[in-house]
Amino acid sequence: MARPRKKPVASPGNDDIGEDKRLELWRKQLEIRHCEQRAYDLFLQNLVKGTSHLSLGQEAIAAGFAAAMRPDDKSFCTYRGHAHTLARGVPMEQMLGELMQRDCGLMRGKGGSMHLTSIDHGVMGSYAIIGAHLPIAVGSAWRAQYLGHDDVTVVFFGDGTTNIGAFHEALNYAVVFKLPVVFVCENNLYMEYTPIGAITAVEHPAADRAGAYGLDKIIIDGNDADEVYRTAQTAFAKARAGEGPSLIECKTYRHSGHSRADPGAYRPKGELERWKEHDPIKVYRARLAEFGIADAVIDDIEQAVKAEVERATAVCKAAPLPPEDILTTDVYADGGWAWRN
Amino acid sequence: MAELTYREAVAAGIAQEMERDERVAFLGEDVAAAGGVFKATVGLLERFGPRRVIDTPISEQAILGAAMGAAMTGMRPIAEIMFSDFLAVCWDFPANEFSKARYMSNGQIKLPLVVRCGNGAGSRFGAQHSQSVENWAMAIPGLKVVAPSTPADVKGLLAAAVRDDDPVMFFEHKSLYALKGEVPDGEHVDQLGVARIVRPGKDCTIVALALMVHRALAAAEKLAERGIEAEVIDVRSLVPLDTRTILGSIARTGRLFTVEENPRLCGWGAEIASIAADELFYDLDGPIVRITTPHIPLPAADNLEDIVLPTVDRIVETVTRSMA
């Protein structure tokens, strides 16, 4: 478990983040938490199909980075991407609708849980092949540099990704060309079903390798949204200033198994309980209180989020399945699927 | 009309598109300062500078990934994979990523990118630098697949590929880089998905691609001496596939031969044979015959490589025997 860092003494007078941003971080984390819990419930009712990979326990990373992003920044994530998608502002019914593979879904049921994409929100896709999106994110950053834009590309991935070749190719490439991309490793200690330490040569799978590419070794408490937010701001400022990429390893823990088929029984007894003591939602509620934010304000946001989950669920349950005529649309850029005349 | 080599036509095509559109940039291993291992990109760095003509590390996944990320966010990149065999190193990108992004995103993502590579045998490089892999790409929905046989087609089809909003796999034939031919002056843009009848004939149709087009043409001349007038079609583009031209020819001649460098199993000739059998069965006057390499890895030695590739003589003998 990550050692909690010494926090500054909290008082409204020394709040570098500010109440509005804190409440945004609170809301984003709650949206992810409650929406993901609902996704799990809907799976048990056989309404969420296929597979799904939840980020319960990892909400602070998605929320912290998204809160530091501008609307024109681009984010790339993995199949465990509900959190990152919601955090960028994608409406809940579009996400749940895609998980339920309804016509109201983000991609009208053509993508599914592992491929959430919303270009309008800068959500450049969720990638189900481990590591593939790191070089793709590098390309997005190259475009920004090439066209003289100052948006930043952020790419989220798991600890398991650090052992695939694309991770190393992408890092080397981004450093060589000094591209405005921020690599974010969500180290939840497990590569699918296997403890990352058992199959990785170094203790910190991302940060220990940063030096090999001339990057700083950055390890943060991924369950502390404030720390994530501050780290993101620093990395984004560096990228926007033309000073190149960063690699950040966020220590965290997923409360559920790898995917919904996995109860996580391989985890040592007591490990989950210890991490739940450091649950990002719990940590953040206490933080808000430390900064003197009234319980009523904190609770009102939670109630509003819960109501939004209910509303989105009802919309999705009532939504039709996608029409069969979209089956053959958008294979090619002319909107169709014809490969011959 | 200027006479250019096939390799000069590559650089001319890239230059024409870079001149026209700032969003076109070009990246690959040894493509800039060295001008490409096949010298197909000589002069581009000097003309467009290192911002637009980029020497990359030997990182095929990074090259295709970067091209994809740039294409989906507003550029129109051209990426080179030096030998088409190396596509296997980064096959995730054509197979899973840029072929499917448009569909999975329900049309949100557009991917105007071109992947060029040196394809095909004849240079004694051995089995890992000599393959014809255009059939790999043809099997994946979402990709377009082009393989030119002349300098004019290189320039025109490359320009068309760059302007296309789909990912295009562009297979240049290594044994054709020195071939000279007339290339239209000024801006030259062709159209994807149009096959060309390169020699008219009434007795049979020979469908070929890239280097094999030239061998099929030479074979047709010899066949004419034997009284067989073969119509030769250069497919040029496997996806989109111009079945109208191909089937129209077969309907007239009643016979179909395909000539390809692919190993016997699952080459593109099998697909064309299948389409012809489906749609023209009652117009056929004899069996459809595929002329391919055997189902073996490519050997390096002169005499062995020469045996496995379809030769002019093998095409002549096969057609003659079948037509008898």
Side-chain angles (χ1 to χ4, degrees):
Chain A
M1 164 162 192
R3 281 186 302 277
R5 280 188 1 184
K6 199 166 184 187
K7 308 290 186 217
V9 177
S11 81
N14 69 356
D15 187 357
D16 61 321
I17 290 178
E19 184 168 327
D20 288 352
K21 192 53 86 173
R22 279 193 195 286
L23 293 179
E24 182 189 335
L25 286 163
W26 175 236
R27 178 185 289 272
K28 281 186 190 296
Q29 292 182 87
L30 289 174
E31 283 173 354
I32 299 163
R33 171 64 55 92
H34 290 293
C35 201
E36 293 248 82
Q37 281 175 338
R38 178 54 53 91
Y40 185 73
D41 296 342
L42 292 167
F43 154 62
L44 294 177
Q45 296 167 40
N46 199 30
L47 289 169
V48 164
K49 313 279 186 173
T51 187
S52 65
H53 305 79
L54 304 179
S55 298
L56 294 169
Q58 306 182 186
E59 295 87 348
I61 301 168
F65 273 94
M69 275 183 232
R70 295 193 322 215
D72 63 332
D73 290 333
K74 317 291 183 207
S75 54
F76 290 78
C77 60
T78 70
Y79 55 86
R80 194 181 305 286
H82 308 163
H84 301 293
T85 305
L86 279 176
R88 299 292 318 266
V90 170
M92 242 178 237
E93 74 257 24
Q94 290 188 15
M95 200 199 74
L96 284 173
E98 191 61 30
L99 268 55
M100 291 166 70
Q101 299 171 5
R102 302 295 173 110
D103 200 34
C104 67
L106 252 182
M107 297 91 76
R108 301 183 75 189
K110 287 172 82 171
S113 156
M114 294 197 285
H115 302 292
L116 301 172
T117 304
S118 181
I119 301 300
D120 288 347
H121 294 89
V123 175
M124 306 309 290
S126 319
Y127 294 79
I129 308 293
I130 302 291
H133 62 311
L134 277 68
I136 301 171
V138 162
S140 166
W142 170 41
R143 176 267 323 153
Q145 184 192 63
Y146 182 93
L147 296 176
H149 299 166
D150 73 340
D151 61 275
V152 173
T153 299
V154 187
V155 52
F156 301 95
F157 52 94
D159 40 277
T161 300
T162 63
N163 287 327
I164 205 164
F167 167 81
H168 300 275
E169 291 195 18
L171 278 170
N172 180 60
Y173 200 101
V175 171
V176 164
F177 296 111
K178 234 177 172 181
L179 298 175
V181 56
V182 178
F183 297 93
V184 182
C185 176
E186 300 180 297
N187 180 3
N188 63 20
L189 309 186
Y190 287 88
M191 180 222 73
E192 299 197 1
Y193 297 63
T194 304
I196 189 67
I199 38 86
T200 305
V202 291
E203 185 186 356
H204 301 288
D208 284 348
R209 284 141 163 179
Y213 299 102
L215 294 171
D216 293 338
K217 178 173 180 171
I218 303 173
I219 302 170
I220 65 169
D221 177 358
N223 280 17
D224 180 338
D226 284 357
E227 185 167 346
V228 173
Y229 175 71
R230 289 190 188 103
T231 307
Q233 285 182 307
T234 305
F236 293 179
K238 176 184 169 190
R240 285 193 224 286
E243 290 164 17
S246 303
L247 171 64
I248 297 156
E249 180 169 332
C250 305
K251 298 292 285 289
T252 187
Y253 194 81
R254 58 169 153 76
H255 291 174
S256 48
H258 163 63
S259 66
R260 63 192 214 173
D262 168 25
Y266 42 79
R267 300 185 290 194
K269 202 164 180 294
E271 185 179 82
L272 172 62
E273 290 68 25
R274 283 198 304 281
W275 275 93
K276 278 192 168 174
E277 284 303 304
H278 195 49
D279 178 340
I281 304 290
K282 190 174 164 177
V283 166
Y284 214 70
R285 178 178 277 276
R287 181 76 45 76
L288 293 176
E290 279 178 57
F291 277 100
I293 296 171
D295 281 351
V297 174
I298 299 170
D299 291 339
D300 279 356
I301 291 174
E302 183 149 22
Q303 290 314 313
V305 167
K306 284 179 174 172
E308 176 58 12
V309 172
E310 291 304 330
R311 192 197 63 78
T313 305
V315 169
C316 294
K317 281 183 173 172
L321 294 172
E324 290 184 6
D325 63 7
I326 67 165
L327 188 65
T328 50
T329 60
D330 280 312
V331 177
Y332 293 102
D334 63 3
W337 68 311
W339 58 275
R340 52 167 285 189
N341 58 24
Chain B
M1 299 270 264
E3 186 163 78
L4 296 183
T5 60
Y6 190 96
R7 62 162 54 86
E8 286 166 344
V10 172
I14 295 172
Q16 173 183 293
E17 294 310 295
M18 291 183 71
E19 199 66 62
R20 183 186 61 86
D21 188 342
E22 176 77 11
R23 296 169 301 168
V24 179
F26 173 50
L27 71 166
E29 297 158 13
D30 295 324
V31 300
V37 291
F38 300 113
K39 299 294 171 201
T41 56
V42 171
L44 292 174
L45 174 66
E46 291 70 19
R47 191 158 160 196
F48 297 101
R51 171 174 164 263
R52 300 186 69 191
V53 181
I54 300 157
D55 276 327
T56 66
I58 299 178
S59 301
E60 278 84 4
Q61 296 187 61
I63 293 167
L64 291 199
M68 173 169 171
M72 67 194 279
T73 55
M75 286 173 64
R76 305 187 80 88
I78 305 169
E80 176 176 308
I81 296 297
M82 195 184 280
F83 286 76
S84 65
D85 315 68
F86 309 165
L87 282 168
V89 176
C90 51
W91 199 237
D92 180 44
F93 293 88
N96 289 315
E97 308 299 341
F98 50 72
S99 54
K100 295 176 170 66
R102 167 176 288 275
Y103 187 80
M104 294 197 303
S105 70
N106 193 39
Q108 291 180 70
I109 293 175
K110 182 172 83 171
L111 280 166
L113 69 90
V114 179
V115 180
R116 296 177 41 242
C117 45
N119 192 46
S123 305
R124 319 316 189 195
F125 287 140
Q128 294 180 341
H129 286 67
S130 303
Q131 296 172 84
S132 289
V133 305
E134 68 279 354
N135 59 322
W136 299 358
M138 191 188 186
I140 298 169
L143 298 180
K144 288 180 175 168
V145 184
V146 176
S149 69
T150 67
D153 280 3
V154 165
K155 185 176 176 188
L157 292 174
L158 186 53
V162 171
R163 296 180 193 198
D164 198 279
D165 280 341
D166 285 314
V168 180
M169 306 295 289
F170 197 85
F171 293 94
E172 294 156 17
H173 202 291
K174 293 194 286 285
S175 292
L176 292 175
Y177 276 125
L179 178 78
K180 284 185 177 168
E182 296 286 327
V183 177
D185 294 327
E187 187 174 270
H188 175 46
V189 188
D190 209 319
Q191 190 183 344
L192 304 185
V194 180
R196 181 182 293 139
I197 296 171
V198 289
R199 182 192 194 282
K202 60 179 173 42
D203 297 325
C204 66
T205 297
I206 302 177
V207 174
L209 192 71
L211 176 66
M212 291 299 123
V213 172
H214 301 279
R215 296 200 177 170
L217 279 170
E221 293 307 313
K222 289 193 174 185
L223 286 165
E225 293 165 15
R226 298 183 182 189
I228 297 170
E229 289 297 334
E231 181 148 294
V232 178
I233 294 181
D234 180 353
V235 184
R236 306 204 308 151
S237 158
L238 290 168
V239 181
L241 182 66
D242 181 3
T243 50
R244 202 172 290 139
T245 298
I246 296 167
L247 293 176
S249 171
I250 300 164
R252 285 194 302 279
T253 65
R255 294 301 304 266
L256 169 61
F257 297 87
T258 61
V259 188
E260 60 184 311
E261 280 190 49
N262 295 117
R264 185 73 188 167
L265 301 190
C266 301
W268 53 260
E271 187 59 48
I272 290 178
S274 163
I275 293 169
D278 267 357
E279 301 185 25
L280 286 179
F281 186 75
Y282 294 105
D283 292 314
L284 291 168
D285 298 325
I288 299 168
V289 179
R290 293 173 58 212
I291 301 166
T292 68
T293 66
H295 196 63
I296 58 171
L298 288 158
D302 279 357
N303 61 328
L304 299 181
E305 192 179 50
D306 284 347
I307 293 170
V308 300
L309 292 187
T311 58
V312 173
D313 286 345
R314 176 140 68 98
I315 299 167
V316 170
E317 292 313 314
T318 306
V319 172
T320 306
R321 196 167 56 242
S322 183
M323 297 284 287

